[in-house]
Amino acid sequence: MASKLLLTFAICRLIVTVGLTMDPTELLRLGVYGQLSVDPSDVQTASLDFGMLSRADPWAVLHPASADDITRVVKAAYESEAHGFTVSARGHGHSINGQAQTSNGVVIQMSSSRGRRLGSSTPAALRPHVYEKERYVDVWGGELWIDVLRSTLEHGLAPKSWTDYLYLSVGGTLSNAGISGQAFHQGPQITNVHELDVVTGKGELLTCSEEQNSGLFHAVLGGLGQFGIITRARISLEPAPKRVRWIRVLYSDFSTFTRDQEYLISLHELPASQKFDYVEGFVIVDEGLINNWRSSFFSPRNPVKITSLGTDGGVLYCLEITKNYDESTADTTDQEVESLLKKLNFIQSSVFTTDLLYVDFLDRVHKAELKLRSKGLWEVPHPWLNLFIPKSRIADFDKGVFKGILGNKTGGPILIYPMNKHKWDNRSSVVTPDEDVFYLVAFLRSALDNGEEMQSLEYLNHQNREILKFCDEAGIKAKQYLPHYTTQEEWVDHFGDKWGQFYQRKMEFDPRYILATGQRIFKPSFQSSSNMAL
């Protein structure tokens, strides 16, 4: 009775403060075991994201106690007759353009900051369960990858594919793809999933896999949250190495740089002793950035001067590679690394090497985050732009963007590394360029209000538009990763041949367009009878 009274009070408050248009008894009948909150701090947290480019206040925020709570809320939204509402799942809030926001519904807080203060972000019954013999782990959709890593390492195991930043939710990265330097041989995170539990837009909790409800399984992976909310994922594991040899080398010639990167990812089928375990890279067009947060690897006591390396147009390229090892392979690691490096054509005086624990390498970006937070430089707008560029046009992109549009300033790190398309499952909802090899180019910039025009949000947004315009006019068939569009035409163009299937899947699994409306792909059916995007 007490809990019902509290919920009644919360809904009455919600009616007063945000003008709830649905019948409040619909929420009263939900009977959730978690907390349906209208606390201003919860609402404010759910209204923002890492990008800090948009804001939308939800009606309420659900902290679920189980998947059943999520099912009840989504089912209520689906069955609401007089007035509808939308449902958006939010992980760690690392979206850029409001993808997990809603202003006319409920945000489900999958990764709870409250729970983390108590030592877990996950309902107790759904904390990671490692199956050592089968080499997989079952995790809650809101579990952060850092916690997945910690749980699996207790058993000497770890997931095969990662993102660079581990404070992201499992459901969040699987709804996009999940990529890092391991993707060239392990594939993205979405190709390392055995099974999912998903709450569809009809409020049905379904288990899906290659063998069971396979249409839903492939739709949800990379599906931008459009077909269901991931409440459980079964992730493939492998024996975890103990240590990592982390190497960076510099290039002044772009074609040499990309040729070496492409050579390294071509070794993906060879034994571990004959390839690197991780291949990434980044572009340096501003001398001040060679020692920035993403490049803190370089010691301030041993600074690297771009001007001393004979760069082409003031641009340097850094190849970043790693070799995993443990006690049994430590003796041969140096020889294996040396053998691989001999086949590359980097600037010989630019080899930088460090050695660290496997977990410390995977969690490297978090340490940089803490430094930025201490300087007040983390909670600022992040107008990030992530593109997949076909291999055949990457040289044109370099000339037009790195040596053209960007000038001598970047405003933040620029990642660039190739991946093998055959490591991606075309049955998923993800869209990639139609070439055997394509590159991720990620502009990870931060906007600062410090009076410098080239670091302003307006300037960086304009530069992003110029980059996209250049690709369009040059005929570079780039695809956005973590895509953001605002019109139906743009989304249809993005998905290309996959649009028809994407639309049919939406009609099957979320026919009222309730889920993830912050992606701005479809309008909720209770707002418009058309099937047009926002």
Side-chain angles (χ1 to χ4, degrees):
M1 177 62 72
S3 61
K4 187 173 182 178
L5 288 173
L6 287 172
L7 184 56
T8 303
F9 172 77
I11 293 175
C12 290
R13 180 181 173 189
L14 195 151
I15 295 171
V16 172
T17 57
V18 300
L20 182 62
T21 58
M22 67 175 290
D23 183 351
T25 59
E26 291 186 44
L27 287 179
L28 281 172
R29 288 195 294 265
L30 294 182
V32 297
Y33 290 94
Q35 183 183 23
L36 187 64
S37 171
V38 291
D39 184 282
S41 64
D42 282 341
V43 171
Q44 181 178 8
T45 297
S47 72
L48 298 170
D49 59 20
F50 180 71
M52 294 187 68
L53 304 176
S54 63
R55 175 168 182 162
D57 290 354
W59 292 350
V61 178
L62 174 68
H63 299 272
S66 68
D68 289 340
D69 281 354
I70 299 171
T71 300
R72 289 186 178 95
V73 170
V74 177
K75 194 172 185 66
Y78 177 67
E79 295 180 346
S80 178
E81 296 293 339
H83 305 284
F85 64 97
T86 63
V87 180
S88 290
R90 182 181 191 273
H92 198 49
H94 210 72
S95 297
I96 300 300
N97 292 289
Q99 287 92 336
Q101 296 171 0
T102 181
S103 59
N104 58 352
V106 176
V107 167
I108 298 178
Q109 185 59 61
M110 299 293 290
S111 303
S112 174
S113 58
R114 294 178 176 182
R116 292 192 65 76
R117 289 196 294 270
L118 297 175
S120 173
S121 61
T122 305
L126 292 172
R127 289 175 189 164
H129 185 182
V130 176
Y131 296 81
E132 290 188 33
K133 182 178 179 181
E134 294 84 358
R135 289 191 179 176
Y136 58 69
V137 58
D138 282 350
V139 297
W140 170 247
E143 193 74 68
L144 301 187
W145 283 101
I146 182 64
D147 296 322
V148 176
L149 175 61
R150 289 167 178 162
S151 296
T152 56
L153 284 178
E154 292 177 2
H155 302 266
L157 300 170
K160 299 175 180 179
S161 190
W162 294 98
T163 55
D164 286 339
Y165 182 59
L166 301 188
Y167 286 75
L168 305 173
S169 70
V170 169
T173 66
L174 295 184
S175 295
N176 289 281
I179 55 175
S180 186
Q182 305 88 5
F184 79 92
H185 67 111
Q186 299 287 12
Q189 290 180 320
I190 57 173
T191 64
N192 290 277
V193 179
H194 293 298
E195 187 177 273
L196 299 170
D197 284 347
V198 174
V199 177
T200 72
K202 297 178 181 179
E204 301 171 321
L205 177 59
L206 300 175
T207 297
C208 55
S209 65
E210 290 268 8
E211 295 78 27
Q212 181 180 6
N213 296 314
S214 60
L216 178 62
F217 181 71
H218 295 301
V220 168
L221 294 172
L224 306 176
Q226 293 303 299
F227 312 107
I229 297 172
I230 298 171
T231 60
R232 178 185 64 91
R234 178 165 288 177
I235 308 297
S236 181
L237 302 177
E238 65 179 358
K242 299 294 184 182
R243 301 193 65 84
V244 171
R245 184 69 49 80
W246 187 7
I247 305 155
R248 286 178 174 172
V249 295
L250 298 177
Y251 294 76
S252 59
D253 180 73
F254 185 72
S255 62
T256 305
F257 169 69
T258 54
R259 185 167 58 247
D260 280 358
Q261 280 194 320
E262 290 165 17
Y263 165 71
L264 291 176
I265 73 164
S266 74
L267 308 177
H268 59 89
E269 298 293 352
L270 295 181
S273 62
Q274 299 177 39
K275 64 186 176 186
F276 285 113
D277 296 288
Y278 162 104
V279 177
E280 282 199 17
F282 54 93
V283 182
I284 306 166
V285 301
D286 179 345
E287 187 158 328
L289 282 176
I290 201 163
N291 291 309
N292 78 344
W293 69 266
R294 190 60 171 74
S295 309
S296 57
F297 181 94
F298 299 105
S299 170
R301 289 174 292 182
N302 183 26
V304 180
K305 293 292 184 181
I306 290 181
T307 53
S308 68
L309 295 173
T311 62
D312 178 12
V315 181
L316 275 177
Y317 310 94
C318 180
L319 172 64
E320 183 174 60
I321 44 187
T322 71
K323 189 73 172 171
N324 300 337
Y325 70 96
D326 52 33
E327 291 83 356
S328 64
T329 58
D331 292 341
T332 60
T333 298
D334 288 340
Q335 297 174 4
E336 293 170 3
V337 168
E338 187 64 26
S339 176
L340 286 165
L341 289 179
K342 284 181 178 179
K343 299 175 182 177
L344 306 180
N345 294 289
F346 52 86
I347 299 171
Q348 291 300 311
S349 60
S350 70
V351 181
F352 301 86
T353 303
T354 191
D355 196 277
L356 67 171
L357 292 172
Y358 180 65
V359 63
D360 290 339
F361 171 74
L362 291 179
D363 197 29
R364 62 200 179 280
V365 176
H366 181 57
K367 295 176 181 177
E369 173 193 348
L370 297 178
K371 292 180 182 178
L372 287 178
R373 285 187 182 277
S374 69
K375 299 177 181 179
L377 297 176
W378 185 258
E379 294 181 355
V380 298
H382 295 94
W384 287 10
L385 177 64
N386 295 269
L387 299 174
F388 289 150
I389 305 295
K391 169 188 168 181
S392 65
R393 302 303 304 277
I394 195 65
D396 298 321
F397 191 89
D398 168 64
K399 183 178 180 180
V401 178
F402 301 151
K403 297 188 178 80
I405 293 172
L406 294 184
N408 294 319
K409 298 289 182 180
T410 65
I414 305 173
L415 306 188
I416 175 171
Y417 58 90
M419 290 172 280
N420 293 305
K421 185 178 178 69
H422 75 275
K423 293 292 183 177
W424 295 61
D425 192 332
N426 192 51
R427 295 171 296 178
S428 76
S429 295
V430 176
V431 179
T432 62
D434 190 22
E435 291 191 8
D436 291 342
V437 172
F438 60 90
Y439 280 77
L440 169 75
V441 181
F443 299 86
L444 309 182
R445 284 103 70 85
S446 300
L448 303 177
D449 186 15
N450 59 5
E452 293 192 25
E453 180 188 3
M454 288 187 289
Q455 293 184 349
S456 69
L457 179 60
E458 181 181 2
Y459 182 88
L460 294 176
N461 276 333
H462 173 73
Q463 206 169 64
N464 285 344
R465 290 191 294 270
E466 287 295 302
I467 292 169
L468 293 173
K469 180 182 177 182
F470 167 77
C471 290
D472 184 55
E473 293 180 349
I476 298 175
K477 296 181 179 180
K479 293 295 183 182
Q480 286 192 35
Y481 176 58
L482 312 178
H484 171 63
Y485 302 103
T486 57
T487 69
Q488 178 91 67
E489 182 181 7
E490 289 173 318
W491 279 111
V492 171
D493 182 65
H494 170 75
F495 284 105
D497 293 342
K498 280 192 171 184
W499 173 255
Q501 181 186 59
F502 191 89
Y503 177 77
Q504 289 301 321
R505 286 172 167 176
K506 185 70 171 179
M507 293 298 293
E508 179 178 359
F509 300 118
D510 183 24
R512 295 197 66 187
Y513 314 131
I514 291 166
L515 301 176
T517 54
Q519 295 280 5
R520 299 179 64 83
I521 305 176
F522 300 97
K523 275 187 178 180
S525 61
F526 56 81
Q527 288 187 354
S528 171
S529 59
S530 74
N531 294 332
M532 297 298 287
L534 289 169

